[in-house]
Amino acid sequence: MEDLRGAVAPLADPLLDSGEKARAAALHRAADRDGYRVTHVCLRMLLGAYLGVEPSDVPLIRQPCPLCRAPHGRPDVPGVPLCFSVSRTDGLCLLAFARTAVGADIERLPALDVVAALTATLHPREAAELAACPPDRRSAAFARVWTRKEAYLKGLGTGLGRDLRFDHLGASAYGPRRVPGWRVDDVAVGRGCAAAVAVAER
């Protein structure tokens, strides 16, 4: 994403809508503002190419949340058979597109104190799997669990509003556990990061 910043920056003002500009401006760190703009310019350019319209004309909305019906569910382009998901972390973004519901997540590997603080929020079997990991592998294992779970929950449209203890995606380096009705896969993104994509099966 950093490699794209110079090329994308001039496109942000003409392509992004007022809501996107406001959300970018509300971010405190300059790196986060830049990352948001780069990600959303790329998203609009790809959606425009898929849909055959100008990137600035793509109407982005949020579907109602399945839990509370408030408008913070999956992002959507109304009236077209294309689903997408967006995730970003420092210096990286991940965009996923599908004909069915899709979720994507990318994360930097967390510090061990973060792992310790969040492990209890996961499914009990995942917490046990992480406890069994040697400390030098625990951060990567946690990132696998977290990205798999968040990709799946974003695909559902609930995001982290759904209790993280409900679903067992697993910490195995050999891939996630199967979730009925969904295909969840790890995405290779290099050292220091983890990523996953979840796609609803037809």
Side-chain angles (χ1 to χ4, degrees):
M1 186 158 59
E2 293 175 355
D3 294 340
L4 295 172
R5 187 173 298 153
V8 167
L11 301 175
D13 191 56
L15 294 191
L16 301 187
D17 65 24
S18 59
E20 290 167 306
K21 291 173 185 176
R23 286 188 287 275
L27 296 171
H28 296 297
R29 295 196 312 151
D32 290 335
R33 293 192 294 273
D34 288 344
Y36 181 95
R37 292 185 185 108
V38 168
T39 300
H40 278 254
V41 166
C42 292
L43 172 65
R44 282 186 166 276
M45 293 180 72
L46 287 167
L47 285 172
Y50 279 127
L51 301 174
V53 301
E54 289 296 322
S56 59
D57 293 336
V58 175
L60 296 176
I61 65 164
R62 285 276 185 175
Q63 293 182 357
C65 171
L67 299 177
C68 67
R69 307 311 297 170
H72 55 239
R74 279 195 303 268
D76 190 27
V77 178
V80 300
L82 179 67
C83 300
F84 63 93
S85 184
V86 179
S87 181
R88 61 185 178 85
T89 189
D90 288 343
L92 296 167
C93 67
L94 179 63
L95 307 177
F97 301 86
R99 294 291 182 182
T100 61
V102 62
D105 191 52
I106 185 168
E107 305 283 348
R108 297 282 183 183
L109 300 192
L112 285 177
D113 60 335
V114 174
V115 174
L118 293 178
T119 293
T121 68
L122 302 175
H123 189 283
R125 292 182 187 172
E126 292 167 343
E129 290 165 8
L130 291 172
C133 277
D136 62 332
R137 298 183 186 177
R138 196 168 295 152
S139 179
F142 177 88
R144 287 193 295 270
V145 173
W146 191 269
T147 54
R148 292 165 182 174
K149 192 175 297 276
E150 189 159 357
Y152 170 60
L153 297 181
K154 288 168 76 173
L156 289 178
T158 65
L160 298 179
R162 180 179 169 92
D163 193 326
L164 300 179
R165 294 170 294 182
F166 285 170
D167 308 293
H168 181 202
L169 278 296
S172 172
Y174 297 103
R177 290 177 54 86
R178 178 163 176 76
V179 179
W182 289 80
R183 175 165 179 170
V184 182
D185 289 299
D186 296 329
V187 178
V189 288
R191 293 175 61 87
C193 294
V197 172
V199 182
E201 295 177 335
R202 291 181 181 272

